[in-house]
Amino acid sequence: MRKPKVNRMVLAMCLWCFIMVIFYFHSNLKPASAQGSGRSSGQGKSGRSPLQMLYDSDQLEQSAVQVTHQGRRELLEDACRSYTRKRRVLIPEDLKHIIVDDQHGLLYCYVPKVACTNWKRVLMVLTGAAGPRRDPLAIPANEAHVPGNLRTLSEYSTSQINQRLRSYLKFVFVREPFERLVSAYRNKFTRSYNTAFHKRYGTKIIRQHRTDPQAEALERGDDVSFKEFVYYLVDPATQREEPFNEHWERVHSLCHPCLIHYDVVGKYETLEQDSHYVLQLAGVKGQVTFPTSAKSTRTTGDMAAQFFHSISPFYQKKLYNLYYMDFLLFNYSTPEYLKFQ
């Protein structure tokens, strides 16, 4: 006579478990952008994060700019598939160049000599690190580079890193590799005020790559030629001693584009248009404007060609091989002024 009562208890238990399972899945199947940090994960007034704005075709029609950026993403993915045989796990060291804006759901990998000072200024305004200043150019350049003003992805826990990589808009700005390299050389070795670089790198380059250097040159390190700089870069002993400085390190080594899926690959050659696009996706177009720089001071292709004129085809080829992956991944053609072709 007790059997029906037992059956009813079993049925009730099963029903209760079923309800709990439904409740569990309902509470855990939220969009990734709504989890993790406890913040809004960059959702703007529309309720959509920058990442959702990018991929939601209902919100943004396929404009010419969007088509361009989709093409860049596809080219990068194809190159990574073709030339990257082994995928490895990201480590915190890989993430030190990725700046986090939790308020707007942005991850920016900064590359020196590709407008990174202005992008840091913009992000300081967006994150509140600039205080009451709303004009990025009101922030001194040296302040933009002070460690601690902006958080990097390496500072977060593994679960927080994964959540942000999944749900934030990831963007990077790149530049023609040799124009960036010449720009770094001009800025760090031909400007009298960069005494720290002269002492840190100039003296070493002169000691190792100049025949019969003068005592003053060894002491000051302020007259490194571009040819000596190239010798230093292609010397295998250089990277055995220490990693490249970030100003001439390859972009693929700074930002790991075959391990991190970048949603926007901006280019220095289309800087204003691409910066406007990122700020539009972030929903902050009216809050901050990306600064325009003086084009007269930029290192151009013609200027780079003049510097490479003194480099022999043998060393041009070695240097090209060193930066080959940046040319390949970001779809830059081999410069016509190179003589090894």
Side-chain angles (χ1 to χ4, degrees), residues 182-235:
V182 170
S183 177
Y185 166 76
R186 291 177 63 215
N187 180 254
K188 301 306 176 187
F189 295 107
T190 69
R191 303 287 191 266
S192 59
Y193 55 78
N194 264 323
T195 54
F197 268 81
H198 301 161
K199 289 282 188 181
R200 174 73 175 80
Y201 295 100
T203 54
K204 178 190 292 187
I205 292 171
I206 291 169
R207 183 171 66 252
Q208 295 177 347
H209 299 286
R210 182 178 298 181
T211 304
D212 298 326
Q214 298 294 314
E216 185 180 3
L218 289 170
E219 171 66 24
R220 296 169 61 91
D222 60 354
D223 64 342
V224 173
S225 69
F226 184 66
K227 185 184 293 186
E228 291 167 339
F229 180 52
V230 170
Y231 292 164
Y232 164 77
L233 293 173
V234 302
D235 184 351

Side-chain angles (χ1 to χ4, degrees), residues 44-236:
K45 293 178 181 177
S46 66
R48 286 177 166 80
S49 70
L51 190 62
Q52 290 169 327
M53 290 292 288
L54 176 67
Y55 290 107
D56 191 343
S57 58
D58 293 335
Q59 287 296 308
L60 292 173
E61 296 178 3
Q62 281 285 317
S63 65
V65 173
Q66 284 179 285
V67 171
T68 295
H69 284 279
Q70 182 177 338
R72 289 178 187 173
R73 286 195 301 273
E74 291 172 354
L75 282 168
L76 177 56
E77 290 168 9
D78 289 345
C80 287
R81 277 195 296 268
S82 300
Y83 291 90
T84 306
R85 291 183 177 84
K86 293 183 179 179
R87 287 183 63 87
R88 63 176 179 81
V89 176
L90 286 165
I91 60 174
E93 187 70 24
D94 299 328
L95 308 174
K96 288 186 173 181
H97 268 248
I98 299 181
I99 294 172
V100 181
D101 176 0
D102 279 322
Q103 292 170 267
H104 301 92
L106 301 174
L107 296 178
Y108 163 58
C109 186
Y110 74 90
V111 178
K113 307 313 300 176
V114 194
C116 77
T117 301
N118 281 340
W119 263 114
K120 287 181 179 181
R121 285 166 162 158
V122 167
L123 288 168
M124 285 180 68
V125 171
L126 291 178
T127 60
R133 294 168 294 186
R134 307 307 299 168
D135 178 7
L137 290 179
I139 303 168
N142 62 331
E143 185 181 340
H145 297 294
V146 171
N149 278 342
L150 294 164
R151 293 192 72 181
T152 64
L153 196 56
S154 61
E155 300 172 36
Y156 292 77
S157 69
T158 301
S159 61
Q160 291 172 329
I161 289 170
N162 290 334
Q163 185 269 328
R164 283 160 177 76
L165 287 172
R166 284 196 311 270
S167 60
Y168 285 15
L169 183 84
K170 300 170 290 295
F171 68 100
V172 60
F173 275 75
V174 300
R175 185 178 185 177
E176 201 280 339
F178 284 172
E179 288 181 25
R180 175 176 170 248
L181 188 65
V182 170
S183 177
Y185 166 76
R186 291 177 63 215
N187 180 254
K188 301 306 176 187
F189 295 107
T190 69
R191 303 287 191 266
S192 59
Y193 55 78
N194 264 323
T195 54
F197 268 81
H198 301 161
K199 289 282 188 181
R200 174 73 175 80
Y201 295 100
T203 54
K204 178 190 292 187
I205 292 171
I206 291 169
R207 183 171 66 252
Q208 295 177 347
H209 299 286
R210 182 178 298 181
T211 304
D212 298 326
Q214 298 294 314
E216 185 180 3
L218 289 170
E219 171 66 24
R220 296 169 61 91
D222 60 354
D223 64 342
V224 173
S225 69
F226 184 66
K227 185 184 293 186
E228 291 167 339
F229 180 52
V230 170
Y231 292 164
Y232 164 77
L233 293 173
V234 302
D235 184 351

